[in-house]
Amino acid sequence: DMALEDNSAQTRDWLLAQPLVVISQRTAALAKTLGFKRPATIASEASDAGLLNAMIQWHSQQSTNQ
């Protein structure tokens, strides 16, 4: 069905435009290879706290840039 294919393409484009927080340089490189548009934010440690801190830092940078 053509409508479903169009929706899938739009959903993929939307997903690839979203910011990412990852736990390693290798995962960031993989995201780029897969077509993610923004550079991934890499957490300082591979833990819930590390991911949360990276998200908070990313959000603070976005607020500063606006």
Side-chain angles (χ1 to χ4, degrees):
D1 179 72
M2 187 61 147
L4 183 58
E5 289 177 23
D6 286 345
N7 191 30
S8 294
Q10 288 176 333
T11 300
R12 179 177 166 76
D13 290 345
W14 176 85
L15 179 63
L16 292 175
Q18 301 309 302
L20 293 176
V21 175
V22 298
I23 60 170
S24 70
Q25 193 70 29
R26 187 179 72 191
T27 307
L30 177 60
K32 184 176 180 179
T33 299
L34 292 173
F36 282 86
K37 309 280 189 267
R38 299 178 181 195
T41 299
I42 302 170
S44 60
E45 60 181 67
S47 67
D48 291 344
L51 289 168
L52 180 58
N53 287 334
M55 286 186 263
I56 291 168
Q57 181 181 19
W58 177 87
H59 186 267
S60 294
Q61 289 172 348
Q62 299 309 303
S63 298
T64 302
N65 292 336
Q66 291 182 3

